[in-house]
Amino acid sequence: MKDPNLSSLMAITAYAPIALFTESLRVQRAMVASILSPHSIAPAITGCIKYLHRLWDLDDIQLLGNFKDERAASVASVKHGNSFPLQNQTVLQLAGVFRGNIDTARMVVPYEPSTGKCLQTWRETIVSLCFVLPREAGSKRYELYWLQGVCWVVTIIEFIGPIVMAAYMAIWNDVAGVILMACFSLSVLILAVIRSLTRPIMANQGEISKFRSDIAKGASTLDVHVIADHWNDRHLNVVCGYTSHLHALTNIPMTVSRPTLLLWASRGLAVVLVSQAASLASLIGDKKNAWLSLSWLAVYILMMIPPRIISAYYSQASYEHHTAVLNKVPPICFSGRRAALVFISRLPTSRQAYVEPWAWTDVFMPDNERRRIWQARIDSLDLITFERDQAVDGHVPSEELDAEYQKSKNLLKEASAAYHHPRILHPLLWYRTTVGL
């Protein structure tokens, strides 16, 4: 006689995967990772119910950008002094350029005058800095060929493994189990086809050719883009690079080669995912076949491990293969928003005569008399001695003037300390040398 407690436990286990029925974000990330390069492993993906219509009528620009139609992040250009909604959001997230995890263990705390540490205030601001340079046309990452081989070996194992399990379940006439395992193999196959036959297309080829010619002549200009979910966010993502390249990444939607193939592959994936979700739902309350839900969940968890390992050790490999060279800097914790803005303003940028140098800060602070006085004080301080230009604010009483300049001096010292920190200075010198400064 069966143990009633064991029967109840088996009935409960059938509900274990229910939270995964309508998961959808992993579907998008898996497809984008497959498009970007061969250096990716397809994770286990679950039934996409909520966004089924988007998979069926897939828009490649939306896939690489804002798949959920949430409020888009914003970008401020230091060189041009303007701001605009972020494009190619998912691509930049996968590369770790935007919304990356903040590694507090590696965080740089540059300076605070009295204690030598960052002030832990309600207004502390974390800056994630990344230098992005275009990869030369025709160049290849030979050092990543081993990674590509590993990815394909794992993909073959992920394809064959579920097929073997499906054959075993077919012997026992477990139809639902056969469908579930077949769905695993089919989703791996579809993502492998996407990985092999599609590639991202950045901007238009005419602009890219002109851009590469400008670099060769030394005529290409530099820019700094500040990216944030909203302008009151404590976490600012800062990207430095050539002007045309940065705008191609953040302001011009990327497209995909062979969009028709991608569309039909997406529709096939939608059918597979709906079949998988329906098979899982059929097992709910079925005590006899409850072990099939656990088997599916076990395979799901196992298939999640390889992508996590690759991502942990080489998170930007897929992005770098086709698009750019990335040099990320440990996150920098500043005592306040203004200290972070002073630091960003000192990054290498090709200034334009007709653009006010601080125009890009309009999204952070209103352009009023108070801000202009603060800017003048910051600009009047010497970067080496931190002494002020006596010609500025000569009409202000000396005690009040000294207090205000002391605050500005502390901000500049904090920004300067961040620049000269070894973990910031070395990538910065690499960037300046690479772009010819």
Side-chain angles (χ1 to χ4, degrees):
M1 183 176 180
K2 285 188 175 181
D3 186 350
N5 293 328
L6 180 60
S7 299
S8 299
L9 180 62
M10 293 297 291
I12 292 173
T13 57
Y15 291 84
I18 196 170
L20 305 174
F21 284 5
T22 58
E23 186 179 7
S24 58
L25 290 183
R26 189 167 290 121
V27 178
Q28 180 203 18
R29 293 177 69 88
M31 293 182 69
V32 173
S34 298
I35 291 170
L36 287 181
S37 88
H39 304 135
S40 62
I41 298 176
I45 51 181
T46 56
C48 183
I49 305 301
K50 182 178 179 181
Y51 295 102
L52 176 62
H53 66 286
R54 295 189 183 177
L55 284 178
W56 195 260
D57 298 314
L58 186 69
D59 182 349
D60 55 342
I61 294 178
Q62 189 181 54
L63 177 68
L64 298 175
N66 188 0
F67 191 65
K68 295 195 301 179
D69 275 347
E70 62 184 3
R71 183 178 181 275
S74 300
V75 184
S77 170
V78 174
K79 175 187 173 183
H80 297 285
N82 63 332
S83 61
F84 47 86
L86 176 65
Q87 303 292 331
N88 309 316
Q89 183 168 300
T90 305
V91 175
L92 296 178
Q93 282 183 249
L94 281 176
V97 175
F98 175 61
R99 286 180 182 168
N101 294 327
I102 300 176
D103 187 356
T104 55
R106 299 180 64 239
M107 186 177 294
V108 174
V109 182
Y111 185 80
E112 198 280 317
S114 60
T115 64
K117 295 183 179 179
C118 179
L119 284 172
Q120 300 301 311
T121 65
W122 293 109
R123 199 58 176 171
E124 70 177 19
T125 302
I126 299 173
V127 173
S128 295
L129 178 62
C130 180
F131 301 107
V132 181
L133 295 176
R135 183 164 298 285
E136 294 182 5
S139 64
K140 298 181 179 180
R141 295 295 305 275
Y142 293 104
E143 67 271 25
L144 293 181
Y145 278 2
W146 68 269
L147 182 61
Q148 182 178 347
V150 169
C151 291
W152 279 111
V153 169
V154 174
T155 299
I156 293 172
I157 294 174
E158 289 182 343
F159 176 72
I160 296 177
I163 290 180
V164 173
M165 295 183 66
Y168 175 78
M169 292 176 179
I171 297 176
W172 296 93
N173 294 322
D174 290 324
V175 178
V178 172
I179 294 175
L180 287 175
M181 295 301 111
C183 286
F184 274 128
S185 294
L186 286 174
S187 63
V188 170
L189 178 62
I190 292 173
L191 291 175
V193 170
I194 294 175
R195 189 194 322 175
S196 302
L197 301 179
T198 62
R199 290 290 178 267
I201 300 175
M202 189 174 69
N204 61 72
Q205 299 306 311
E207 286 295 326
I208 291 178
S209 299
K210 179 180 180 298
F211 169 56
R212 297 191 187 282
S213 175
D214 289 343
I215 294 177
K217 298 175 183 176
S220 187
T221 58
L222 303 177
D223 199 356
V224 177
H225 283 189
V226 184
I227 309 173
D229 281 312
H230 53 84
W231 295 125
N232 202 36
D233 196 353
R234 64 187 289 266
H235 184 202
L236 302 178
N237 300 271
V238 180
V239 188
C240 301
Y242 291 114
T243 301
S244 301
H245 189 225
L246 288 187
H247 277 277
L249 292 176
T250 62
N251 199 23
I252 304 175
M254 295 174 67
T255 57
V256 179
S257 65
R258 299 181 178 175
T260 303
L261 171 66
L262 180 65
L263 174 62
W264 283 103
S266 176
R267 290 178 175 179
L269 191 61
V271 172
V272 170
L273 295 177
V274 170
S275 301
Q276 179 177 257
S279 299
L280 284 171
S282 70
L283 297 176
I284 296 177
D286 187 349
K287 297 180 181 179
K288 180 182 178 181
N289 294 317
W291 67 277
L292 291 176
S293 290
L294 286 181
S295 300
W296 179 88
L297 190 59
V299 175
Y300 176 88
I301 294 173
L302 287 174
M303 291 180 67
M304 290 301 300
I305 294 176
R308 293 294 181 91
I309 295 175
I310 295 297
S311 177
Y313 283 93
Y314 217 100
S315 60
Q316 63 202 50
S318 59
Y319 181 79
E320 284 196 329
H321 182 77
H322 289 291
T323 311
V325 178
L326 304 181
N327 194 341
K328 299 178 185 177
V329 173
I332 313 167
C333 180
F334 290 97
S335 61
R337 175 66 59 83
R338 290 191 175 189
L341 297 182
V342 171
F343 172 82
I344 295 171
S345 70
R346 306 299 180 183
L347 291 170
T349 310
S350 301
R351 301 289 183 179
Q352 292 183 319
Y354 55 87
V355 177
E356 200 274 322
W358 291 88
W360 63 278
T361 61
D362 288 350
V363 294
F364 297 100
M365 299 183 291
D367 186 12
N368 52 27
E369 187 66 22
R370 179 184 177 188
R371 192 190 88 178
R372 286 190 286 271
I373 292 175
W374 174 77
Q375 291 172 185
R377 288 170 180 162
I378 291 293
D379 292 337
S380 68
L381 290 170
D382 188 273
L383 294 177
I384 305 300
T385 64
F386 302 108
E387 295 301 326
R388 69 175 186 266
D389 183 353
Q390 299 296 328
V392 179
D393 286 340
H395 61 283
V396 181
S398 60
E399 292 184 3
E400 180 183 346
L401 183 62
D402 289 342
E404 291 299 323
Y405 266 107
Q406 187 59 44
K407 294 179 182 178
S408 299
K409 184 184 296 186
N410 289 341
L411 294 179
L412 198 58
K413 284 184 177 180
E414 187 175 349
S416 179
Y419 267 106
H420 292 89
H421 193 285
R423 285 189 286 174
I424 309 297
L425 184 60
H426 294 161
L428 181 60
L429 291 177
W430 168 85
Y431 174 70
R432 294 179 67 92
T433 302
T434 306
V435 298
L437 294 179

